[in-house]
Amino acid sequence: MESDKDEVHELLAAIVSALNNTLYDIAADNERNGSKVTAKRLEFSRRKIMDAWEVYSQKRKNK
């Protein structure tokens, strides 16, 4: 059962990493192209995801 949890965690880690990188790249592209509002929204979403991941990771570590 523990290995199932690790597999789920690894999947979540891969998804969060991909989202982080993709949102960062898209936000940077929008910033360069003058779409500052869209860039800020994307960066806000990226940070929100990363903050939630940190909370999840800390709770998981403390179990």
Side-chain angles (χ1 to χ4, degrees):
M1 188 69 175
E2 186 64 34
S3 66
D4 288 344
K5 289 181 183 178
D6 289 342
E7 290 173 5
V8 171
H9 177 74
E10 291 302 316
L11 173 62
L12 287 173
I15 291 168
V16 168
S17 177
L19 276 172
N20 180 52
N21 292 337
T22 301
L23 288 172
Y24 179 86
D25 291 343
I26 295 171
D29 285 344
N30 275 273
E31 181 76 26
R32 280 192 296 272
N33 293 329
S35 299
K36 295 191 185 306
V37 172
T38 301
K40 287 182 187 222
R41 286 181 180 162
L42 290 163
E43 180 60 20
F44 175 79
S45 295
R46 186 186 76 78
R47 286 185 187 165
K48 196 170 182 180
I49 290 167
M50 295 312 296
D51 290 347
W53 179 250
E54 283 298 317
V55 169
Y56 164 79
S57 294
Q58 285 299 318
K59 285 183 178 181
R60 185 175 186 273
K61 197 182 290 185
N62 292 334
K63 281 189 172 186

